[in-house]
Amino acid sequence: MSDIRKRKTNAMKGKTAGSGSNATDDPQSKSKDKQSDEQYKAQLQDMSNFTKFLPTVIMGMIFGFVLNKGRVFEPGIIVDQFLFKRWVMMKMFLSAAASSTLCLSLMQLVSPREYKITRAKCAVYNLFGSVVGGAILGAGMAIGGICPGMVLAQIGAGVPNSVLCMASILGGAFIYGLIEPFIRSWTTAKTLKYGFFDEMFPHRNVLALGFAAAMLSVVALLETLVPWKTELTTSLQPGCNWITCKAWPPYVAGAIVGALQIPSVALLGNPIGSSTAYVCVMSQWLRFFPQSTHDFFALFKGKLGAFWQVVYIASAVLGSMMAVQFSGTMEATDVFKRSYDGIQGNEPWRVIVGGCLVIFGARFAKGCTSGHGISGMGVLSTASMIVVAAMFAGGAIAALLTK
């Protein structure tokens, strides 16, 4: 303590100049203080990660369970949406986005600090990456009948080639990481003047309510024109309840997925997303590659806080298996032998190409269908609106060209 007082006295008397590199500072003391601060921060981070684990598992299981019940995990349902033959995915997607928008508006009123952090994490100002990345993401969805989140429900339901699809997504994440340093200037340049719609128009909550109402109106119109039961690829069991029925109304399933935004932001400090998990997993292979390949993956390697998404998507597989078990039509373990409800998977070439494209597009656009479609649109992100529009456009074109 006496040494510290002497250093402070000398600094006050002007015996040293500048800051951080004073002649009388003890380098070893400063190094120890820095190490102590880092250790303390690491301890806090470890405690934070531990408290995140249980809610992350529960949320992931709910996510997988609901995706299964909403039937949007079926490859045919996804492809038919881009061909405008079925509207199950659109109903669930818009319901989830509307629910997320309303939940985040509530979070802004109740917990403005958490909302501000969530909004900052959804901020994207790059037009090129949003358009091109969104189009690539949509093309991959239409070709493979998957997206970064839905493939987990497919694995849990034993959909053929779903594990191959997961492998292709991981491979695509790694390939993107290798080339990201060379395209970074294209995807990070700030080319959008406004990152959020409420930067252009005042009264954020009024905008959010109007936006949510518009999306729910579209869902209501679609449901009136094409009732959800007429679009199912399976028959509901007679006398089934909400737990045992093989399918739920897509708008109910979507509303539940959107509502997961509240525990995700309040307990985990992160908005809903999936694609980062794949990059986190592949970042662990850095030690086997030259330093020049580390730039992009270094953002994720070793950051346990980012690994909540890995736990989240892994738990989604279990949630989907639970939905299979509760349906009463087959045991959850049977998905290792045959597909749930006879669902057909896509051809191997489709899932390989589609898997690589969806993760490439998601990282290019800085978010996937969950990150942009549910979280980004929920905070009225301009880039997220562009990504979603480009996703459906790119998916429609790819579906028509490959049908």
Side-chain angles (χ1 to χ4, degrees), residues 146-164:
I146 43 88
C147 82
M150 293 176 192
V151 69
L152 290 316
Q154 291 182 354
I155 293 175
V159 175
N161 293 325
S162 56
V163 174
L164 176 61

Side-chain angles (χ1 to χ4, degrees), residues 205-223:
N205 286 332
V206 174
L207 279 174
L209 290 174
F211 183 51
M215 289 188 287
L216 292 176
S217 297
V218 173
V219 173
L221 177 61
L222 290 174
E223 180 62 20

Side-chain angles (χ1 to χ4, degrees), residues 154-163 321 324 330-344:
Q154 291 182 354
I155 293 175
V159 175
N161 293 325
S162 56
V163 174
M321 293 179 70
V324 172
M330 62 184 283
E331 296 294 324
T333 53
D334 289 342
V335 299
F336 299 112
K337 305 173 184 176
R338 57 191 173 93
S339 175
Y340 171 54
D341 218 20
I343 297 170
Q344 298 297 312

Side-chain angles (χ1 to χ4, degrees), residues 107-129:
M107 289 294 295
Q108 183 193 24
L109 297 174
V110 176
S111 186
R113 180 178 177 277
E114 281 72 16
Y115 172 80
K116 185 177 181 180
I117 294 173
T118 299
R119 177 184 165 104
K121 291 182 177 181
C122 293
V124 177
Y125 290 87
N126 184 266
L127 177 62
F128 180 78

Side-chain angles (χ1 to χ4, degrees), residues 15-145:
K15 293 182 178 179
T16 59
S19 61
S21 59
N22 295 333
T24 57
D25 281 342
D26 183 357
Q28 292 183 349
S29 177
K30 290 181 66 177
S31 177
K32 290 180 180 179
D33 290 342
K34 184 176 181 181
Q35 290 178 0
S36 178
D37 289 341
E38 291 177 349
Q39 289 175 356
Y40 177 68
K41 291 178 181 179
Q43 290 173 355
L44 289 178
Q45 182 65 49
D46 288 341
M47 288 188 290
S48 174
N49 290 328
F50 179 78
T51 58
K52 286 180 178 181
F53 183 78
L54 182 58
T56 301
V57 170
I58 295 174
M59 283 176 50
M61 293 178 69
I62 294 174
F63 181 67
F65 189 92
V66 172
L67 285 183
N68 189 299
K69 293 294 187 181
R71 309 298 294 195
V72 290
F73 72 96
E74 296 186 42
I77 291 286
I78 299 172
V79 175
D80 282 351
Q81 177 60 74
F82 290 110
L83 291 172
F84 307 106
K85 291 182 178 180
R86 287 192 178 94
W87 297 92
V88 175
M89 191 181 91
M90 181 68 79
K91 292 175 187 177
M92 185 166 176
F93 175 78
L94 291 178
S95 298
S99 175
S100 173
T101 302
L102 295 174
C103 289
L104 288 171
S105 295
L106 179 63
M107 289 294 295
Q108 183 193 24
L109 297 174
V110 176
S111 186
R113 180 178 177 277
E114 281 72 16
Y115 172 80
K116 185 177 181 180
I117 294 173
T118 299
R119 177 184 165 104
K121 291 182 177 181
C122 293
V124 177
Y125 290 87
N126 184 266
L127 177 62
F128 180 78
S130 298
V131 173
V132 176
I136 295 173
L137 171 61
M141 293 176 66
I143 293 172

Side-chain angles (χ1 to χ4, degrees), residues 343-364:
I343 297 170
Q344 298 297 312
N346 270 332
E347 300 155 278
W349 78 266
R350 281 183 171 272
V351 298
I352 293 174
V353 174
C356 288
L357 288 178
V358 292
I359 194 63
F360 194 96
R363 299 322 307 161
F364 203 90

